[in-house]
Structure formats: structure tokens, C-alpha cells
Amino acid sequence: MKNKEEMKILRRKFLKYTIPSVCAMWVYSLYTMVDGIFVGRGVGPSALAAVNIAMPFVNFIFASSMLFASGASTIISIYLGKKDYKEANEAFTLNTISIIAFSLIILVLSLLNLERLALFLGATSTNLSMVMDYLKIIICFNGFFIVSYCLEVIVKTDGFPYFSIIGVLLSALVNIALDYVLVIKLQLGVSGAAYATGISQVVACIFFFIHFLRKNSTLKFVKFHYAFKTLKRILSIGLPDGITEVSTGVILFMFNQIILKHLGENGIVTYSIISYINTLVLMTMMGIAQGMQPLSSYYYGKGDALTIRKLLKMSFKMVTIISALVFILAMVFSKDIVNIFIKGADAELFNYSVYAFKLFSMSFLVVGYNILISGYFASIEKPSKAIIISLSRGFVTISLALFTMTALLGSIGIWMATFVSELLCIIISLTVLKMNPLRDFK
């Protein structure tokens, strides 16, 4: 009876952290998706392609935030598990100062190389100006992107998971309202979409900063000595999640290049639609992993291996259920999903996009397991194991699958490559997990 009650309590804790994490990730996905919907409908397919070309840089910004956020969240959770509040506050403050400094470096270097950056990402003579317009504004707001996401993750670590939902929802509503005003009403095109996204991040940043100034927050900004050892620890733990997110940008970049070669700009429009939905699925799975991470790190700090095993099993069950549900929805509503982005497009482009989306959707069945196992290893301070998985799925298996499948099947292989890549990676993930069973801590 006692064990059943303990499981119920643990399950409630798991859902208390996982549901807000998934919701927050959905909202972050919707930022760019809403931009795509308004740009696709308000400006046209060519503008949608331009935003997609710039998207790897947005992924880089988000990856930078995850690099700091995941590591800091894990370390802070471990200190809180040990009741060491002084070290937790110092790690929190050091991390916040570090991300602000890092965002300033990105700002300066990116603006100085704006045209080169746009061309590197794949901008063509027909869309170079639109890509640069979008990038320039996003770059100026990059600090708010990084800081707001990082603080949102740490708000949950601080024990206020539902407060984080309020912040991201507020930001999302601002984004949608401004997209409508700036893109549709004022006809500012891709620049309007970029301003809407950037301003919404400013709102989120202010909202989360206010939380840490309140009396009931455990974590506070304190005086600290800049400890590079702590920063190194943060970055090493956060690296797997950072790789997971930056790999999304790398994959976008590789797909854009190959699609331009085989299918032309219409192919980029198709992949733009797919990548928005794929990002939503990836973020859902990362939300589950991030919901598990603070609890797993907390119990790691307490030395409770049994509870960590239970959390991992719960996470696997949730990933299995959501993966199946997402795949079914993608199959049943594929036409409706494509119609959201390119309503009124010519029939050939629409039908091909639906066909490609169905092929790509097979990857939704397996991607969550790789993300979850990587997040699990990061949460118990085994970053090297997490990096193996993140590098495998982010660079090695996808490169191998994309070029091989395209060579064998042509354009069909492009849309099946991600599914094949995730299957190859799941073999690696399960092998690493089996070789590193969780034993009781000393």
C-alpha cells in the first residue's frame, strides 16, 4: 500500500513538471510557426521560404539558451536536493550573467557579417533582402530569446512550473497579436514577423525576471565570484541538449541545400511546412525530457537511484503514447495541416506537400526515445553519454541517411531520411543505455 501511494505521489510530481514543460515547448514552437502562418498567408510562399532559410540561425540562438539552461537547471537541482542554497543561488547568478555576455557576442559578430550569414544559410538573389531583413531584427533581439528561455527553465527548477506556463502564454499572445497587426494590417512582411517575435521575447524576459525578485522564490540574484569551474560544469551538462537543438538548424541547412538542388524553391516551401510541424514534435519530446530532468537531478543529488528508474519508465510511457498519437493525427489531418500554411496555393504544390508530409511523419514514431535517453544521461551528470546520442542523431546518422536515401530513391528519399536516421540512432541510444545501467549511488 505504501509503495502504491509513493508511486501516485511521484506520478503527480512528474506530471506537475512535465505538463508545464511540454506546454512551454509548444508555445516556443508556436512562435516561429505563427510567423510562418502569417507570412505564408499575408506575404506569400516565397516569403515563407525566406523565413525557413533564416531558421537555422534561430535554432542556433535557441540552442545557445539550452546549452546554458539545461546545465544550470541540473546543477541547481542537485544543490537544492542537497539543501545547499548558497551554491544554488551563486550558480543561478553566474549563469544569468554569462548568458547576457554571450548574447552580446552573438549580436556584434552576427551584425558585422549579416550578408555573409544570409548567403551561407542559402539565400538566393530572389530572397536575399528578405532573409537579411528577418535575420537583422532577430539578431538584435537574440539576448531576450536566450535569457527568457533560460529563466523559464529555471523558474520550474525553482518549484514554480505553472508560473512558467503563464509567462510563455503571455508572450505567445503578444506574438500573435503583433503578427496580425504588423504583417497583415501594416503589411510589414517578414520584418513585421521578426519584430513580433522579438518583442514577445522582451515581454517574457521581464515577466520571468520579476519572479526572481519576489519574496517566495527560492533562487535569488546574489554576489558571487566568477567561477569558471562552475561555468564549465554548466556547459558540459547542457552540451547534449544544445547539440540536440543546434542539430535541428544543421538538419534544416542540409535539407535546404539538397532540396534546392533536387526540387527548387517549391521544395523549400514544402519543407518549410514540414519543419514547422517537426519542430513542434521535437519540442514536445524535449518538454518531456526537461520535465523529467529537474526531478531526476534532484533525486540524483539525494542518491535515490530507485526513484530515478521509476521516473525514466514514466517518461518512456509518455513518449510512446504521444508518439503514436502525433503520428495518427499527422496521417489523418495532413491536408488540413498543409492548408494552414499555403491556403490557395496551386494544386500541384499542395498535393506534393501533403504527400511529402505523410512520408516524413513516420519519424514522429521514434524521435522521442532518442531525445529522452539523451536528456536522462544529462540529468544524472553523465554528459559524455548524452553527447554520443545527440551527436549521432544530430549529425552522423542524419547525414548518412540523407545522402544515402537521396542517392537511392531521389526526392522520395529526402522525406524518408529522418525516419531512417532516427531508427539508426535508437539502436545507438538503447545500446548506450543498456551498457550504463543505473545502480544505487554510494
Side-chain angles (χ1 to χ4, degrees), residues 267-333:
I268 294 291
V269 175
T270 296
Y271 187 58
S272 298
I273 298 164
I274 291 172
S275 64
Y276 283 126
I277 305 303
N278 185 46
T279 298
L280 184 60
V281 175
L282 290 175
M283 290 298 187
T284 302
M285 301 308 173
M286 290 175 73
I288 296 171
Q290 287 193 5
M292 176 197 69
Q293 278 181 313
L295 290 171
S296 183
S297 299
Y298 178 83
Y299 287 108
Y300 179 73
K302 290 185 71 173
D304 189 346
L306 179 61
T307 300
I308 296 175
R309 279 196 290 268
K310 291 176 181 177
L311 284 168
L312 187 59
K313 287 180 181 178
M314 288 179 192
S315 302
F316 268 109
K317 286 180 182 178
M318 182 174 277
V319 165
T320 301
I321 293 168
I322 292 179
S323 297
L325 181 62
V326 166
F327 176 72
I328 292 168
L329 290 173
M331 291 294 103
V332 174
F333 297 104

Side-chain angles (χ1 to χ4, degrees), residues 83-229:
K83 308 297 182 186
D84 191 343
Y85 300 109
K86 179 178 178 294
E87 291 290 346
N89 283 326
E90 288 186 1
F92 165 61
T93 308
L94 180 144
N95 183 70
T96 305
I97 298 299
S98 298
I99 57 176
I100 292 171
F102 187 72
S103 68
L104 291 173
I105 294 170
I106 293 175
L107 173 69
V108 173
L109 293 179
S110 300
L111 286 180
L112 289 175
N113 297 280
L114 181 60
E115 185 173 349
R116 273 184 260 182
L117 177 60
L119 291 170
F120 173 76
L121 291 172
T124 63
S125 56
T126 58
N127 58 32
L128 177 61
S129 61
M130 282 192 290
V131 174
M132 287 179 64
D133 287 343
Y134 189 82
L135 277 175
K136 180 171 62 177
I137 297 162
I138 292 296
I139 288 166
C140 290
F141 284 100
N142 93 87
F144 295 101
F145 273 87
I146 295 175
V147 174
S148 67
Y149 176 72
C150 205
L151 292 180
E152 183 270 322
V153 170
I154 296 175
V155 163
K156 289 179 288 193
T157 305
D158 196 30
F160 295 84
Y162 288 102
F163 189 82
S164 69
I165 291 183
I166 297 171
V168 293
L169 283 176
L170 174 64
S171 181
L173 291 173
V174 171
N175 188 35
I176 292 169
L178 289 176
D179 264 325
Y180 176 74
V181 172
L182 299 178
V183 179
I184 304 299
K185 289 295 184 181
L186 299 181
Q187 294 288 301
L188 295 181
V190 294
S191 296
Y195 275 120
T197 301
I199 293 168
S200 71
Q201 292 299 307
V202 175
V203 172
C205 214
I206 294 169
F207 183 85
F208 291 125
F209 258 114
I210 289 172
H211 165 77
F212 294 106
L213 300 177
R214 298 191 306 166
K215 290 181 179 180
N216 61 344
S217 66
T218 302
L219 296 173
K220 304 289 184 183
F221 294 107
V222 296
K223 291 183 179 179
F224 70 102
H225 296 291
Y226 206 92
F228 285 99
K229 184 178 179 180

Side-chain angles (χ1 to χ4, degrees), residues 209-265:
F209 258 114
I210 289 172
H211 165 77
F212 294 106
L213 300 177
R214 298 191 306 166
K215 290 181 179 180
N216 61 344
S217 66
T218 302
L219 296 173
K220 304 289 184 183
F221 294 107
V222 296
K223 291 183 179 179
F224 70 102
H225 296 291
Y226 206 92
F228 285 99
K229 184 178 179 180
T230 302
L231 181 61
K232 182 181 177 182
R233 191 178 168 198
I234 288 171
L235 296 178
S236 66
I237 295 170
L239 187 58
D241 279 349
I243 291 172
T244 296
E245 179 57 29
V246 80
S247 68
T248 305
V250 173
I251 292 165
L252 262 172
F253 177 76
M254 288 195 299
F255 269 82
N256 283 341
Q257 302 307 307
I258 288 180
I259 288 168
L260 280 170
K261 180 180 177 182
H262 287 268
L263 297 169
E265 195 164 308

Side-chain angles (χ1 to χ4, degrees), residues 7-23 156 161-162 165 287-288 290-292 295 311 314-315 317-319 321-322:
M7 277 298 292
K8 284 183 180 179
I9 293 170
L10 183 62
R11 193 176 292 113
R12 282 198 294 267
K13 281 184 180 179
F14 174 69
L15 292 174
K16 179 184 175 183
Y17 279 84
T18 304
I19 291 172
S21 292
V22 171
C23 290
K156 289 179 288 193
Y162 288 102
I165 291 183
I288 296 171
Q290 287 193 5
M292 176 197 69
L295 290 171
L311 284 168
M314 288 179 192
S315 302
K317 286 180 182 178
M318 182 174 277
V319 165
I321 293 168
I322 292 179

Side-chain angles (χ1 to χ4, degrees), residues 66-67 70-75 77-78 233-242 244 289-290 292-294 296-298 300 312 370-390:
M66 294 190 74
L67 177 67
S70 298
S73 174
T74 298
I75 289 171
S77 294
I78 290 171
R233 191 178 168 198
I234 288 171
L235 296 178
S236 66
I237 295 170
L239 187 58
D241 279 349
T244 296
Q290 287 193 5
M292 176 197 69
Q293 278 181 313
S296 183
S297 299
Y298 178 83
Y300 179 73
L312 187 59
N370 294 316
I371 292 172
L372 177 62
I373 295 171
S374 174
Y376 156 72
F377 280 120
S379 73
I380 59 170
E381 280 205 279
K382 294 189 183 297
S384 60
K385 309 295 187 300
I387 288 170
I388 290 171
I389 298 166
S390 296

